[in-house]
Amino acid sequence: MCGIFGYIGARDPLEICLSGLEQLEYRGYDSTGIAGVGNGEIKFCKKAGKLSNLLQAMNLRNLESAIGHTRWATHGPVNDQNAHPHLDAANSMAIIHNGIIENHHVLRMDLIASGVLFTSDTDTEVIVQLVAKFYAGDLAAALQKALSLVQGIYAIALIHKNHPGQIIAAAKECPLAIGVDPTTKESFISSDPNTFLSSNLDICFLHDGEIAIIQRGHVHVFNTKHEIIRKKTERLELQYTVPSKDGFAHFLLKEIYEQPNTVYKAILGRFQEQTGNVEFESLGFTDEQLSSYKKVCILACGGSAHAGSIGAAYLEELAHIPSQCEIASEARYRSLLLTPDTLVIAISQSGETADTIAALRIAKAAGCKILAICNVKHSTITREADAVIYLKAGAEISVCSTKALTSQIAVLALFALHMARLRGLPVEVAQTFFNNLKQIPDQINQVLLAAPKLQALAEKYAHYEDFFFIGRLYMYTTSLEGALKLKEISYVNANGCPAGELKHGPIALINANFPVVAFCANEQTKDKILSNLAEVKARGAPVLAFAPVGMDGVQAIADDIFWLPPTTDMLAPFTSTVAAQLLAYYIALKRHCNIDQPRNLAKSVTVE
Ligand code: AGP
């Protein structure tokens, strides 16, 4: 779950690599490092912690090429030694790696037995030591031999002091893009093509087992038999803009405030008010295909799985098609019994979540067609899916996802409406649903205007260490999302729980130090949630309710209430989620947490 970057060309490789790493920090920020060839030797600098630490320690100059790495620790603690790059014992070559080598222990033991001294705890170091063992002048051949012994997944970049004009790259099940500009004679590699700082590149992606020799302005790719192959290249529309907080204290807060606009953009132009029909630009599935599906299976992780659960409920309620949302990290090891009459939807902000990709591949192998709902263009999921609906939410920088999630729900609402229309939902019902959806951006704005009230509530509740978030139906999924936001950025123990399940065990935890945050917006279960609140109140829990304006009965029970603009049960997740995001933000602020880059996390979870 790391980011790798490399550059060779006329510009300063160090500067370009540092800019690349800045954009790749979303893949991990436990440590960063850079290596390059200069004056016939390997020069490197690496540091535990964020890129800012590396910049302070940076002592490299006059590099002919450079490779850079940003790490999310898998093997070995977060320290300078375990930071990439890793070098062989003779300091003649340096490697950076994204992925996991599963048989690293056995390989390490063999190498140690043959006299190799290791300097880190990482699985990666095994590869560089193996390459050193096999190297006899042909670096690509030595890497290929080393990789034939390795079990696991990887994207790798390797440099050698005897080959100053080359970067060798290899990949298996991890993304690695190569960009070449033959005119300026520049070449780039990256875990993410969106980080290339040039829009004039011929881009290709390394497939499993391929090895590339990258030089200034050209690349040679070899297959597993060491035969040269011709890769198809493409020109990608890459529009990089430097991320800015636009005056907000954190990217998270900025992204929360963007939601009236991002939800609006997710629905804009996708509904024909006259006909009541939904139209996604180049959906890639015909109406006949969509009508023929018997089931829908949604695959996603984390917050995206919460959006997926809401989407599955929309599909069932609007389109009457059996739908389930499966957590991809579980689904990939279960017998889902997928058949081609099931439409599979993969939801991912980044498009790079390893478990979602793995589950998607299993679904494809079972003969299913995949619809991706994604934010990041050119990402692995968008490239592997049969069709894509983009969120159009713009870059989400904060590790904690906010605007992507509400855009996912908006897109899922429209997709469910589309499926429903194909299954005979009357025009007027579709129009009413869309009219309510259209009001959501404005209703989110009303929540944002009440932020000072949420900040005051956060100040009151910030000292508690344990929380239950409860709700029913759509509000249950919302409670899962609210709890995830709080634990992710405030390091508080927050548990989402179906309100009706409390008395089956969790209620045993309740006392005066265990507040319950209740999402009460579902009209259908209004009385039930009030009973659940009375039960926890009777046991001493402080109760904070998020309730629609006009809801009776809640004042008599809750200690505090945040009033939400009323909407339908199906659309209530939008405003309730935004309120929960702000509550989490202000609690994290009060607790002095690292809001945009919480400890132990990465924006994109690219390993299992
Ligand atoms: C949410 O705030 C998270 N940081 C995380 O749960 C995220 O939603 C999950 O890792 C899935 O990511 P994806 O949408 O990029 O696939």
Side-chain angles (χ1 to χ4, degrees), residues 316-392:
E316 292 191 338
E317 197 165 338
L318 280 174
H320 300 162
I321 179 164
S323 304
Q324 72 208 88
C325 176
E326 298 287 343
I327 292 172
S329 54
E330 287 292 306
R332 63 184 290 188
Y333 297 112
R334 280 187 35 216
S335 304
L336 288 181
L337 308 179
L338 289 171
T339 44
D341 59 2
T342 298
L343 171 66
V344 171
I345 304 180
I347 306 180
S348 175
Q349 187 285 131
S350 63
E352 295 295 348
T353 300
D355 286 316
T356 310
I357 295 169
L360 171 160
R361 288 176 182 160
I362 290 167
K364 266 186 122 170
C368 298
K369 293 271 183 229
I370 315 289
L371 169 64
I373 297 181
C374 248
N375 198 30
V376 178
K377 284 190 176 173
H378 316 303
S379 56
T380 304
I381 290 179
T382 64
R383 283 185 281 116
E384 296 199 11
D386 297 286
V388 186
I389 303 176
Y390 285 102
L391 300 180
K392 304 185 198 166

Coordinates of all heavy atoms in Angstrom, one line a residue, residues 316-392:
E316 N -33.5 -2.2 -4.2 CA -34.7 -3.1 -3.8 C -36.0 -2.3 -3.7 O -37.0 -2.7 -4.2 CB -34.3 -3.8 -2.5 CG -33.2 -4.8 -2.7 CD -33.0 -5.7 -1.5 OE1 -33.4 -5.3 -0.4 OE2 -32.4 -6.8 -1.7
E317 N -35.8 -1.1 -3.1 CA -37.1 -0.3 -2.8 C -37.6 0.3 -4.1 O -38.8 0.3 -4.3 CB -36.8 0.8 -1.8 CG -38.0 1.3 -1.2 CD -37.8 2.1 0.1 OE1 -36.8 2.0 0.8 OE2 -38.7 2.9 0.4
L318 N -36.8 0.8 -5.0 CA -37.3 1.5 -6.2 C -37.4 0.5 -7.4 O -38.4 0.6 -8.1 CB -36.2 2.5 -6.7 CG -36.2 3.9 -6.0 CD1 -35.1 4.7 -6.5 CD2 -37.5 4.6 -6.2
A319 N -36.4 -0.4 -7.6 CA -36.4 -1.2 -8.8 C -36.9 -2.6 -8.5 O -37.1 -3.4 -9.5 CB -35.1 -1.2 -9.4
H320 N -37.1 -2.9 -7.3 CA -37.6 -4.3 -6.9 C -36.7 -5.4 -7.4 O -37.2 -6.4 -7.9 CB -39.0 -4.5 -7.3 CG -40.0 -3.6 -6.7 ND1 -41.2 -3.3 -7.2 CD2 -39.8 -2.7 -5.6 CE1 -41.8 -2.4 -6.5 NE2 -41.0 -2.0 -5.5
I321 N -35.4 -5.2 -7.4 CA -34.5 -6.2 -7.9 C -33.6 -6.6 -6.7 O -33.1 -5.8 -6.0 CB -33.6 -5.7 -9.1 CG1 -32.6 -6.8 -9.5 CG2 -32.8 -4.4 -8.7 CD1 -32.0 -6.5 -10.9
P322 N -33.6 -7.9 -6.4 CA -32.8 -8.4 -5.2 C -31.4 -7.9 -5.3 O -30.7 -8.1 -6.3 CB -32.8 -9.9 -5.3 CG -34.0 -10.2 -6.2 CD -34.1 -9.0 -7.2
S323 N -30.9 -7.2 -4.3 CA -29.6 -6.5 -4.3 C -28.9 -6.7 -3.0 O -29.6 -6.7 -1.9 CB -29.8 -5.1 -4.6 OG -30.5 -4.8 -5.8
Q324 N -27.6 -6.9 -3.0 CA -26.9 -7.0 -1.8 C -25.6 -6.3 -1.9 O -25.0 -6.1 -3.0 CB -26.5 -8.5 -1.5 CG -25.5 -9.1 -2.5 CD -25.6 -10.5 -2.8 OE1 -26.3 -11.0 -3.7 NE2 -24.8 -11.3 -2.0
C325 N -25.1 -5.7 -0.8 CA -23.8 -5.1 -0.8 C -22.9 -6.0 0.0 O -23.2 -6.3 1.1 CB -23.8 -3.7 -0.3 SG -22.2 -2.9 -0.2
E326 N -21.8 -6.4 -0.6 CA -20.8 -7.3 0.0 C -19.5 -6.5 0.3 O -19.0 -5.8 -0.6 CB -20.5 -8.5 -0.9 CG -21.7 -9.3 -1.2 CD -22.1 -10.2 0.0 OE1 -21.4 -10.3 1.0 OE2 -23.3 -10.6 0.0
I327 N -19.0 -6.6 1.5 CA -17.7 -6.0 1.8 C -16.6 -6.8 1.0 O -16.5 -8.1 1.2 CB -17.4 -6.1 3.3 CG1 -18.4 -5.1 4.0 CG2 -16.0 -5.7 3.6 CD1 -18.5 -5.2 5.5
A328 N -15.9 -6.2 0.2 CA -15.1 -6.9 -0.8 C -14.0 -7.7 -0.2 O -13.7 -8.8 -0.7 CB -14.4 -5.8 -1.8
S329 N -13.5 -7.3 1.0 CA -12.4 -8.1 1.6 C -12.9 -9.4 2.2 O -12.2 -10.3 2.3 CB -11.8 -7.3 2.8 OG -12.8 -6.8 3.7
E330 N -14.3 -9.5 2.4 CA -14.9 -10.7 2.8 C -15.3 -11.5 1.5 O -15.1 -12.7 1.4 CB -16.1 -10.5 3.7 CG -15.8 -10.0 5.1 CD -15.1 -11.1 5.9 OE1 -15.7 -12.2 5.9 OE2 -14.0 -10.9 6.4
A331 N -15.9 -10.7 0.6 CA -16.6 -11.4 -0.5 C -15.5 -12.2 -1.3 O -15.8 -13.2 -1.9 CB -17.2 -10.3 -1.4
R332 N -14.3 -11.7 -1.4 CA -13.3 -12.4 -2.2 C -13.0 -13.8 -1.7 O -12.4 -14.6 -2.4 CB -12.0 -11.5 -2.3 CG -11.3 -11.3 -1.0 CD -10.1 -10.3 -1.2 NE -9.0 -10.9 -1.9 CZ -7.8 -10.4 -2.1 NH1 -7.6 -9.2 -1.6 NH2 -6.9 -11.0 -2.7
Y333 N -13.3 -14.1 -0.4 CA -13.0 -15.4 0.1 C -14.3 -16.2 0.3 O -14.2 -17.3 0.9 CB -12.2 -15.3 1.4 CG -10.9 -14.6 1.1 CD1 -10.6 -13.4 1.6 CD2 -9.9 -15.3 0.4 CE1 -9.3 -12.8 1.3 CE2 -8.7 -14.7 0.1 CZ -8.4 -13.5 0.6 OH -7.2 -12.9 0.3
R334 N -15.4 -15.6 0.0 CA -16.7 -16.4 0.1 C -17.1 -17.0 -1.1 O -16.6 -16.7 -2.2 CB -17.8 -15.4 0.6 CG -17.6 -15.1 2.1 CD -18.8 -14.3 2.6 NE -20.1 -14.6 2.0 CZ -21.0 -13.7 1.8 NH1 -20.8 -12.5 2.1 NH2 -22.2 -14.0 1.2
S335 N -18.1 -17.9 -1.0 CA -18.7 -18.5 -2.2 C -19.9 -17.6 -2.5 O -21.0 -17.9 -2.0 CB -19.1 -19.9 -2.0 OG -18.0 -20.7 -1.6
L336 N -19.7 -16.6 -3.3 CA -20.9 -15.7 -3.6 C -21.9 -16.3 -4.6 O -23.0 -15.8 -4.8 CB -20.4 -14.4 -4.1 CG -19.7 -13.5 -3.1 CD1 -19.2 -12.2 -3.8 CD2 -20.5 -13.1 -1.9
L337 N -21.5 -17.4 -5.2 CA -22.3 -18.1 -6.2 C -22.8 -17.1 -7.3 O -24.0 -17.0 -7.6 CB -23.5 -18.7 -5.5 CG -23.2 -19.7 -4.4 CD1 -24.4 -20.3 -3.7 CD2 -22.2 -20.8 -4.8
L338 N -21.8 -16.3 -7.8 CA -22.2 -15.3 -8.8 C -22.4 -16.0 -10.1 O -21.7 -16.9 -10.5 CB -21.1 -14.3 -8.9 CG -20.9 -13.3 -7.7 CD1 -19.7 -12.5 -7.9 CD2 -22.2 -12.4 -7.7
T339 N -23.4 -15.5 -10.8 CA -23.7 -16.0 -12.2 C -23.9 -14.8 -13.1 O -24.2 -13.7 -12.6 CB -24.9 -16.9 -12.2 OG1 -26.0 -16.3 -11.4 CG2 -24.7 -18.3 -11.6
P340 N -23.8 -15.0 -14.4 CA -23.8 -13.9 -15.3 C -25.2 -13.1 -15.3 O -25.2 -12.0 -15.8 CB -23.6 -14.5 -16.7 CG -22.9 -15.8 -16.4 CD -23.4 -16.3 -15.1
D341 N -26.2 -13.7 -14.7 CA -27.4 -12.9 -14.6 C -27.4 -11.9 -13.4 O -28.4 -11.3 -13.1 CB -28.7 -13.8 -14.5 CG -28.6 -14.7 -13.3 OD1 -27.7 -14.6 -12.5 OD2 -29.6 -15.5 -13.2
T342 N -26.3 -11.8 -12.7 CA -26.1 -10.8 -11.7 C -25.3 -9.6 -12.2 O -24.2 -9.8 -12.7 CB -25.4 -11.4 -10.5 OG1 -26.2 -12.5 -10.0 CG2 -25.2 -10.4 -9.3
L343 N -25.8 -8.4 -12.0 CA -24.9 -7.3 -12.4 C -24.1 -7.0 -11.2 O -24.6 -6.8 -10.0 CB -25.8 -6.0 -12.7 CG -25.1 -4.7 -12.8 CD1 -24.2 -4.7 -14.0 CD2 -26.1 -3.6 -12.9
V344 N -22.8 -6.8 -11.4 CA -21.9 -6.5 -10.3 C -21.5 -5.1 -10.4 O -21.1 -4.6 -11.4 CB -20.6 -7.5 -10.3 CG1 -19.6 -7.0 -9.3 CG2 -21.1 -8.9 -10.0
I345 N -21.6 -4.4 -9.2 CA -21.2 -2.9 -9.2 C -20.0 -2.8 -8.2 O -20.2 -3.2 -7.1 CB -22.4 -2.0 -8.7 CG1 -23.6 -2.3 -9.6 CG2 -22.0 -0.6 -8.7 CD1 -24.8 -1.4 -9.2
A346 N -18.9 -2.3 -8.7 CA -17.8 -2.1 -7.8 C -17.7 -0.6 -7.5 O -17.7 0.2 -8.4 CB -16.5 -2.5 -8.5
I347 N -17.8 -0.3 -6.2 CA -17.8 1.2 -5.8 C -16.5 1.5 -5.1 O -16.0 0.8 -4.2 CB -18.9 1.5 -4.8 CG1 -20.2 1.0 -5.4 CG2 -19.0 3.0 -4.5 CD1 -21.4 1.3 -4.5
S348 N -15.8 2.5 -5.6 CA -14.5 2.9 -5.0 C -14.2 4.4 -5.4 O -14.3 4.7 -6.5 CB -13.4 2.0 -5.5 OG -12.2 2.4 -5.1
Q349 N -13.9 5.2 -4.4 CA -13.5 6.5 -4.6 C -12.2 6.5 -5.5 O -12.1 7.1 -6.5 CB -13.2 7.3 -3.3 CG -12.9 8.8 -3.4 CD -11.5 9.1 -3.9 OE1 -11.4 10.0 -4.8 NE2 -10.5 8.5 -3.3
S350 N -11.2 5.8 -4.9 CA -9.9 5.8 -5.6 C -9.8 4.9 -6.8 O -8.9 5.2 -7.7 CB -8.9 5.3 -4.5 OG -9.1 3.9 -4.2
G351 N -10.6 3.8 -6.8 CA -10.4 2.9 -7.9 C -9.2 2.0 -7.7 O -8.8 1.3 -8.6
E352 N -8.6 2.0 -6.6 CA -7.3 1.3 -6.4 C -7.4 0.4 -5.1 O -6.4 -0.2 -4.8 CB -6.1 2.2 -6.2 CG -5.8 3.1 -7.4 CD -5.3 2.3 -8.6 OE1 -5.0 1.1 -8.4 OE2 -5.3 2.8 -9.7
T353 N -8.5 0.2 -4.5 CA -8.6 -0.6 -3.3 C -8.4 -2.1 -3.7 O -9.2 -2.6 -4.4 CB -10.0 -0.4 -2.6 OG1 -10.1 1.0 -2.3 CG2 -10.2 -1.2 -1.4
A354 N -7.4 -2.7 -3.1 CA -6.9 -4.0 -3.5 C -8.1 -5.0 -3.3 O -8.3 -5.9 -4.2 CB -5.7 -4.4 -2.6
D355 N -8.8 -5.0 -2.2 CA -9.8 -6.0 -2.0 C -11.0 -5.9 -3.0 O -11.5 -6.9 -3.5 CB -10.4 -5.9 -0.6 CG -9.4 -6.5 0.4 OD1 -8.8 -7.5 0.2 OD2 -9.1 -5.8 1.5
T356 N -11.3 -4.6 -3.3 CA -12.4 -4.4 -4.3 C -11.9 -4.9 -5.7 O -12.7 -5.5 -6.4 CB -12.8 -2.9 -4.3 OG1 -13.0 -2.5 -3.0 CG2 -14.1 -2.7 -5.1
I357 N -10.7 -4.6 -6.0 CA -10.2 -5.1 -7.3 C -10.2 -6.6 -7.3 O -10.6 -7.2 -8.3 CB -8.7 -4.6 -7.5 CG1 -8.7 -3.0 -7.6 CG2 -8.1 -5.2 -8.8 CD1 -7.4 -2.4 -7.6
A358 N -9.7 -7.3 -6.3 CA -9.7 -8.7 -6.2 C -11.1 -9.3 -6.4 O -11.3 -10.3 -7.1 CB -9.0 -9.2 -4.9
A359 N -12.0 -8.7 -5.6 CA -13.4 -9.2 -5.7 C -14.0 -9.0 -7.1 O -14.7 -9.9 -7.7 CB -14.3 -8.5 -4.7
L360 N -13.7 -7.9 -7.7 CA -14.1 -7.6 -9.1 C -13.6 -8.6 -10.0 O -14.3 -9.1 -10.9 CB -13.6 -6.2 -9.4 CG -13.7 -5.6 -10.8 CD1 -13.6 -4.1 -10.7 CD2 -12.7 -6.1 -11.8
R361 N -12.3 -9.0 -9.9 CA -11.7 -10.0 -10.8 C -12.4 -11.4 -10.6 O -12.6 -12.1 -11.6 CB -10.2 -10.1 -10.5 CG -9.5 -8.9 -11.0 CD -8.0 -8.9 -10.7 NE -7.4 -7.7 -11.2 CZ -6.2 -7.2 -10.8 NH1 -5.5 -7.8 -9.9 NH2 -5.7 -6.1 -11.3
I362 N -12.8 -11.7 -9.4 CA -13.5 -13.0 -9.2 C -14.8 -12.9 -9.9 O -15.2 -13.9 -10.5 CB -13.6 -13.2 -7.7 CG1 -12.2 -13.5 -7.1 CG2 -14.6 -14.4 -7.4 CD1 -12.2 -13.5 -5.6
A363 N -15.5 -11.8 -9.8 CA -16.8 -11.7 -10.4 C -16.7 -11.8 -11.9 O -17.5 -12.4 -12.6 CB -17.5 -10.3 -10.0
K364 N -15.6 -11.2 -12.4 CA -15.4 -11.2 -13.9 C -15.2 -12.7 -14.3 O -15.7 -13.1 -15.3 CB -14.2 -10.4 -14.3 CG -14.5 -9.0 -14.7 CD -13.3 -8.3 -15.1 CE -13.5 -7.8 -16.5 NZ -12.4 -6.9 -17.0
A365 N -14.4 -13.4 -13.5 CA -14.1 -14.7 -13.9 C -15.3 -15.6 -13.8 O -15.4 -16.6 -14.5 CB -13.0 -15.3 -12.9
A366 N -16.3 -15.2 -13.0 CA -17.6 -15.9 -13.0 C -18.5 -15.5 -14.1 O -19.6 -16.0 -14.2 CB -18.3 -15.7 -11.6
G367 N -18.0 -14.7 -15.0 CA -18.8 -14.3 -16.2 C -19.7 -13.1 -16.0 O -20.5 -12.8 -16.8
C368 N -19.5 -12.4 -14.9 CA -20.4 -11.2 -14.6 C -19.8 -10.0 -15.3 O -18.6 -9.8 -15.4 CB -20.5 -10.9 -13.1 SG -21.2 -12.3 -12.2
K369 N -20.7 -9.1 -15.7 CA -20.3 -7.8 -16.2 C -20.2 -6.8 -15.0 O -20.9 -6.9 -14.0 CB -21.3 -7.2 -17.1 CG -21.4 -8.0 -18.4 CD -20.4 -7.4 -19.4 CE -20.5 -8.1 -20.8 NZ -19.3 -8.6 -21.3
I370 N -19.2 -5.9 -15.1 CA -18.9 -5.0 -13.9 C -19.2 -3.6 -14.3 O -18.7 -3.0 -15.3 CB -17.4 -5.1 -13.5 CG1 -16.9 -6.5 -13.5 CG2 -17.2 -4.3 -12.2 CD1 -17.4 -7.4 -12.4
L371 N -20.0 -3.0 -13.5 CA -20.2 -1.5 -13.6 C -19.4 -0.9 -12.4 O -19.6 -1.3 -11.3 CB -21.7 -1.2 -13.4 CG -22.0 0.3 -13.2 CD1 -21.6 1.1 -14.4 CD2 -23.5 0.5 -12.9
A372 N -18.5 0.0 -12.7 CA -17.8 0.7 -11.7 C -18.4 2.1 -11.4 O -18.8 2.8 -12.3 CB -16.3 0.9 -12.1
I373 N -18.4 2.4 -10.1 CA -18.8 3.8 -9.7 C -17.5 4.3 -9.0 O -17.2 3.9 -7.9 CB -20.0 3.8 -8.8 CG1 -21.2 3.2 -9.6 CG2 -20.3 5.2 -8.2 CD1 -22.5 3.2 -8.8
C374 N -16.9 5.3 -9.6 CA -15.5 5.7 -9.2 C -15.4 7.2 -9.3 O -16.1 7.8 -10.1 CB -14.6 5.1 -10.2 SG -13.5 3.8 -9.5
N375 N -14.4 7.7 -8.6 CA -14.1 9.1 -8.7 C -12.8 9.4 -9.5 O -12.8 10.4 -10.2 CB -13.9 9.7 -7.3 CG -14.0 11.2 -7.2 OD1 -14.7 11.7 -8.0 ND2 -13.3 11.8 -6.3
V376 N -11.9 8.5 -9.4 CA -10.6 8.7 -10.0 C -10.5 8.1 -11.4 O -10.6 6.9 -11.6 CB -9.4 8.2 -9.1 CG1 -8.1 8.5 -9.8 CG2 -9.5 8.9 -7.8
K377 N -10.3 9.0 -12.4 CA -10.1 8.5 -13.8 C -8.8 7.7 -13.9 O -7.8 8.0 -13.2 CB -10.1 9.7 -14.7 CG -11.4 10.3 -14.9 CD -11.3 11.3 -16.1 CE -12.7 11.8 -16.4 NZ -12.7 12.9 -17.3
H378 N -8.8 6.8 -14.9 CA -7.6 6.0 -15.2 C -7.2 5.0 -14.1 O -6.1 4.4 -14.2 CB -6.4 6.9 -15.6 CG -6.8 8.0 -16.5 ND1 -7.4 7.8 -17.7 CD2 -6.6 9.3 -16.4 CE1 -7.6 9.0 -18.3 NE2 -7.2 9.9 -17.5
S379 N -8.0 4.9 -13.0 CA -7.6 4.0 -12.0 C -7.8 2.6 -12.4 O -8.5 2.3 -13.4 CB -8.4 4.4 -10.7 OG -9.8 4.3 -11.0
T380 N -7.3 1.6 -11.6 CA -7.3 0.2 -12.0 C -8.8 -0.2 -12.2 O -9.1 -0.9 -13.2 CB -6.6 -0.6 -10.9 OG1 -5.3 -0.1 -10.8 CG2 -6.6 -2.1 -11.3
I381 N -9.7 0.1 -11.2 CA -11.1 -0.4 -11.3 C -11.7 0.2 -12.6 O -12.4 -0.5 -13.3 CB -11.8 0.0 -10.1 CG1 -11.3 -0.9 -8.9 CG2 -13.3 -0.2 -10.2 CD1 -11.9 -0.7 -7.6
T382 N -11.5 1.4 -12.9 CA -12.1 2.0 -14.1 C -11.6 1.3 -15.4 O -12.3 1.2 -16.4 CB -11.9 3.5 -14.3 OG1 -10.5 3.8 -14.4 CG2 -12.4 4.3 -13.1
R383 N -10.3 0.9 -15.3 CA -9.7 0.2 -16.5 C -10.2 -1.2 -16.6 O -10.3 -1.8 -17.7 CB -8.2 0.3 -16.4 CG -7.7 1.6 -16.8 CD -6.2 1.7 -16.9 NE -5.6 1.8 -15.6 CZ -4.8 0.9 -15.0 NH1 -4.5 -0.2 -15.6 NH2 -4.3 1.1 -13.8
E384 N -10.5 -1.9 -15.5 CA -11.0 -3.3 -15.6 C -12.5 -3.5 -15.7 O -12.9 -4.6 -16.1 CB -10.4 -4.0 -14.3 CG -8.9 -4.0 -14.4 CD -8.2 -5.1 -13.5 OE1 -8.9 -6.0 -13.0 OE2 -7.0 -5.0 -13.3
A385 N -13.2 -2.5 -15.4 CA -14.7 -2.6 -15.4 C -15.2 -2.6 -16.8 O -14.5 -2.0 -17.7 CB -15.3 -1.5 -14.6
D386 N -16.4 -3.1 -17.1 CA -17.0 -3.0 -18.4 C -17.6 -1.6 -18.7 O -17.7 -1.2 -19.8 CB -18.1 -4.1 -18.5 CG -17.5 -5.5 -18.4 OD1 -16.9 -5.9 -19.3 OD2 -17.7 -6.1 -17.3
A387 N -18.0 -0.9 -17.6 CA -18.5 0.4 -17.8 C -18.3 1.2 -16.5 O -18.1 0.6 -15.4 CB -20.0 0.3 -18.0
V388 N -18.3 2.5 -16.6 CA -18.0 3.4 -15.4 C -19.0 4.5 -15.3 O -19.3 5.1 -16.3 CB -16.6 4.0 -15.5 CG1 -16.2 4.7 -14.2 CG2 -15.5 2.9 -15.8
I389 N -19.4 4.8 -14.1 CA -20.1 6.0 -13.9 C -19.2 6.8 -12.9 O -18.8 6.3 -11.9 CB -21.5 5.9 -13.2 CG1 -22.4 4.9 -14.0 CG2 -22.2 7.2 -13.0 CD1 -23.7 4.6 -13.4
Y390 N -18.8 8.0 -13.4 CA -17.9 8.8 -12.6 C -18.7 9.7 -11.6 O -19.8 10.2 -11.9 CB -17.0 9.7 -13.5 CG -15.9 8.9 -14.1 CD1 -16.0 8.5 -15.5 CD2 -14.8 8.4 -13.4 CE1 -15.1 7.7 -16.1 CE2 -13.8 7.7 -14.0 CZ -14.0 7.3 -15.3 OH -13.0 6.5 -15.9
L391 N -18.0 9.9 -10.4 CA -18.7 10.7 -9.4 C -18.6 12.2 -9.7 O -19.4 13.0 -9.3 CB -18.0 10.4 -8.0 CG -18.0 9.0 -7.5 CD1 -17.3 8.9 -6.2 CD2 -19.5 8.5 -7.4
K392 N -17.5 12.6 -10.4 CA -17.2 14.0 -10.7 C -17.1 14.8 -9.5 O -17.5 16.0 -9.5 CB -18.3 14.5 -11.6 CG -18.6 13.7 -12.9 CD -19.6 14.5 -13.7 CE -20.3 13.7 -14.8 NZ -21.4 14.4 -15.3

